[in-house]
């Protein structure tokens, strides 16, 4: 036995003390020998004891009281009692106090040493288990505290970056505290609603952390007024920067626009989005793209499917946990059967989710179901939500005019239009009006920079968004101080009109019709979104001689 193992021998008979200490020493067990209860208490404080070997009757009292103290101060250390008096009541009392065994006097040295050695070994094992359990409890507590903090932070971030929208009903059932599904929605500066449903690989905290980087990126990109394709691109870039290569995020992104009566949808690796027309007829928008994180950023497709907003009454999108491994009447149902079941109960998302949860076939006895998220969009309610709010006729500032000259690298400042919108908002203009100005000036800036100065074909953005971004980045790097965009903003208080002039140092363009409203966007030179500008403005005029576009917005 290790020499550091010490046995405290409490015995008032010197011959017995010598016999016991010698037999233990022969086995490599060190002894601390005392003859009274007082000496035993002092020795206990000064030595690390692995076993107590106590006589019952001592000169200064009975050892019963000492046993009680030792059970408090040394709860795991074994206590053996040496006695020649086997009174049944006394033996029972010592066992009740926690004594492990009795040694009959006179002692047998070899047998005594063997029993002591066995108890010391058991004590070492018990102590190791106790310490391991204590460590486990400490780690478990720390993990619980960390998980509690992580859960709070995650929920807080989702709450901060998600807007409540009337007409978007969501039902979620998580497999644990952390959900690997996520539903986000936000209004863009142009008044459009952007919604994303995402489903990360796996479950629990690992899946939640996979989605986490997308939350702030989504909110920031929507706030900047980026297109749906550009938002998708940024989400892919952020994911590939922060998340290991074997973790993917399936997602549906959609954009609802009242201004051009459109729904734009991108489905990457998710179940089909269910779309109901005004007569309740069902159609599906299936996945035509891979999940985010599978492809490099330059290969991800940003092509959207477009539908007319006023021809759709409801939409339902959901994670695969809602339709996978569902058993009805002892039979695993197909996805199409699950789609039909969802279509029948689409007006009651929460009850529908509970129903589908009840059909879950668990893979093991742990009842480890997948995360389930169901989002139902009521288009009529959403259209009312997105309609411009009539603002009170608040007093507005007197007339003013701002002139901006952007040259060279200043043309790469994507925050210019957003800052202009915020500037107008600070003067008291309504949010709806600022959104219109944002959309109009954004289109004019894209028209001037991308197509006027950079000479990028406008159809390239829709046909190959990645190629468009690549060409734009190349042009941005080669920009010179001779490249210029001039913007003038003039507010006329008496007429309640805001007039915007914008010109660029590019080659200009030709209108192929007398009125913009007479032609489709694809018939215009460069397809520069001029039809959208015209729909938001009271007047539109372009001068080929000065290469200046002039628009007026009424307040």
């Amino acid at each position: 036995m290790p020499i550091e193992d010490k046995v405290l021998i409490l015995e008032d008979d010197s011959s017995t003390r010598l016999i016991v200490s010698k037999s233990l020493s022969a086995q490599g067990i060190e002894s601390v020998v005392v003859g009274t209860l007082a000496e035993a208490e002092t020795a206990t404080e000064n030595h690390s004891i692995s076993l107590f070997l106590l006589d019952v009757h001592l000169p200064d009292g009975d050892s019963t009281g000492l046993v009680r103290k030792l059970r408090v101060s040394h709860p795991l250390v074994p206590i053996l009692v040496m006695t020649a008096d086997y009174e049944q009541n006394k033996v029972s009392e010592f066992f009740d106090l926690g004594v492990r065994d009795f040694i009959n006097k006179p002692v047998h040295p070899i047998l005594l040493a063997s029993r002591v050695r066995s108890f010391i070994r058991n004590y070492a094992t018990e102590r190791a288990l106790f310490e391991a359990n204590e460590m486990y409890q400490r780690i478990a507590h720390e993990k619980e505290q960390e998980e509690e903090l992580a859960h709070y932070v995650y929920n807080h971030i989702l709450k901060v970056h998600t807007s409540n929208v009337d007409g978007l009903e969501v039902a979620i059932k998580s497999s644990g505290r952390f959900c690997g599904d996520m539903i986000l929605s936000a209004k863009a500066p142009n008044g459009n609603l952007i919604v994303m449903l995402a489903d990360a690989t796996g479950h629990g905290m690992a899946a939640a952390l996979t989605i986490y980087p997308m939350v702030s990126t989504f909110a920031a990109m929507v706030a900047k007024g980026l297109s749906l394709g550009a938002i998708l691109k940024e989400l892919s870039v952020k994911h590939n920067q922060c998340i290991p290569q074997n973790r993917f995020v399936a997602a549906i992104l959609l954009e609802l626009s009242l201004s051009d009566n459109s729904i734009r949808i991108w489905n990457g690796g998710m179940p089909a989005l269910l779309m109901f027309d005004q007569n309740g007829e069902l159609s599906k928008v299936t996945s035509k793209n891979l999940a985010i994180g599978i492809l490099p950023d330059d290969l991800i497709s940003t092509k959207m499917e477009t539908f007319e907003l006023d021809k759709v009454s409801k939409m339902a999108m959901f994670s695969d946990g809602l339709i996978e491994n569902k058993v009805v009447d002892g039979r695993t149902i197909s996805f199409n059967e699950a789609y039909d079941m969802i279509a029948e109960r689409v007006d009651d998302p929460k009850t529908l989710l509970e129903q589908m949860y009840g059909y879950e076939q668990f893979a093991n006895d742990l009842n480890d179901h997948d995360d389930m998220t169901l989002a139902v969009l009521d288009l009529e309610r959403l259209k009312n939500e997105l309609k411009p709010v009539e603002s009170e006729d608040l007093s507005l500032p007197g007339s003013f005019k701002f002139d901006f000259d952007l040259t060279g690298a200043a043309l790469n400042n994507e925050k210019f239009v957003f800052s202009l919108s915020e500037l107008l908002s600070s003067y008291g203009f309504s949010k709806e009006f600022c959104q219109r100005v944002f959309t109009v000036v954004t289109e004019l800036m894209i028209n001037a920079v991308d197509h006027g100065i950079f000479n990028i074909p406008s159809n390239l953005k829709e046909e190959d968004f990645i190629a468009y971004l690549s060409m734009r980045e190349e042009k941005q790097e080669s920009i010179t101080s001779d490249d210029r965009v001039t913007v003038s903003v003039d507010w006329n208080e008496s007429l309640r009109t805001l007039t915007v002039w914008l010109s660029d140092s590019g080659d200009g363009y030709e209108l192929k019709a007398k009125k913009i409203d007479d032609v489709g966007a694809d018939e215009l030179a460069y397809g520069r979104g001029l039809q959208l500008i015209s729909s938001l403005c009271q007047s539109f005029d372009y001068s080929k001689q000065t290469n200046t576009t002039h628009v007026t917005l009424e307040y």
Side-chain angles (χ1 to χ4, degrees), residues 2 114 412:
S114 178
N412 296 331

Side-chain angles (χ1 to χ4, degrees), residues 207-355:
L209 291 177
T210 300
I211 288 182
Y212 167 75
M214 290 189 169
V215 180
S216 56
T217 300
F218 174 86
M221 295 304 103
V222 174
K224 288 182 179 179
L226 297 187
S227 67
L228 200 59
I231 293 172
L232 173 61
K233 170 78 172 179
E234 287 296 324
L235 290 172
S236 176
V237 170
K238 188 69 172 179
H239 176 88
N240 290 336
Q241 286 176 345
C242 301
I243 305 301
Q245 294 183 353
N246 64 338
R247 311 291 296 190
F248 313 123
V249 176
I252 292 177
L253 282 88
L254 63 85
E255 179 177 21
L256 306 181
S257 174
L258 282 181
S259 62
D260 59 5
N261 187 41
S262 70
I263 304 172
R264 304 181 70 217
I265 300 173
W266 184 89
N267 187 341
M270 291 286 280
L273 180 147
L274 305 186
M275 187 177 293
F276 304 86
D277 65 15
Q278 300 296 344
N279 298 320
E281 293 296 321
L282 171 65
S283 60
K284 302 182 182 73
V285 183
T286 58
S287 171
K288 295 180 175 61
N289 306 282
L290 297 176
I292 297 172
I294 295 178
L295 294 176
D297 302 329
D298 58 345
L299 293 181
I300 190 170
S301 172
T302 57
K303 186 176 182 180
M304 309 291 167
E305 296 185 68
T306 305
F307 305 88
E308 293 184 55
L309 179 60
D310 58 10
K311 292 185 177 181
V312 182
S313 64
K314 285 183 182 292
M315 293 190 296
M317 55 183 181
F318 37 86
S319 58
D320 57 13
L322 192 71
I323 60 174
E324 287 185 342
N325 302 320
K326 299 299 180 288
V327 176
V328 180
D329 296 330
R331 181 179 60 87
T332 301
I333 63 175
S334 66
F335 285 177
N336 285 331
E337 289 176 298
Y339 290 150
D340 291 339
M341 295 174 64
I342 294 170
E344 292 174 2
R345 302 290 298 272
V346 73
D347 292 328
D348 190 357
K350 293 184 178 179
T351 301
L352 171 59
L353 184 139
E354 289 297 334
Q355 179 186 11

Side-chain angles (χ1 to χ4, degrees), residues 419-433:
S419 299
L420 176 60
S421 176
E422 286 189 322
L423 176 63
L424 293 176
S425 177
S426 70
Y427 274 95
F429 291 98
S430 69
K431 182 178 180 180
E432 180 275 330
F433 184 72

Side-chain angles (χ1 to χ4, degrees), residues 439-449 500 502 533 549 551:
T439 302
V440 169
V441 179
T442 296
E443 290 295 333
L444 291 175
M445 286 292 295
I446 292 174
N447 189 49
V449 177
V500 180
L502 191 144
I533 295 175
T549 303
V551 297

Side-chain angles (χ1 to χ4, degrees), residues 65-110:
L66 177 62
V67 172
R68 289 193 177 94
K69 294 179 181 179
L70 293 177
R71 286 300 71 175
V72 175
S73 61
H74 297 72
L76 297 180
V77 178
I79 301 174
L80 308 184
V81 172
M82 298 182 294
T83 182
D85 182 10
Y86 270 91
E87 296 179 16
Q88 185 174 355
N89 292 339
K90 201 64 175 178
V91 171
S92 177
E93 180 182 2
F94 272 112
F95 273 127
D96 289 342
L97 292 175
V99 169
R100 296 291 185 89
D101 201 359
F102 280 79
I103 306 296
N104 191 23
K105 289 184 179 180
V107 298
H108 189 289
I110 297 178

Side-chain angles (χ1 to χ4, degrees), residues 1-2 5 50 76-78 100 117-131:
M1 301 297 290
D5 290 321
S50 298
L76 297 180
V77 178
R100 296 291 185 89
R117 184 173 56 206
S118 176
F119 275 106
I120 289 178
R121 284 174 175 169
N122 291 338
Y123 166 60
T125 301
E126 289 181 11
R127 183 173 58 186
L129 289 174
F130 177 80
E131 291 174 351

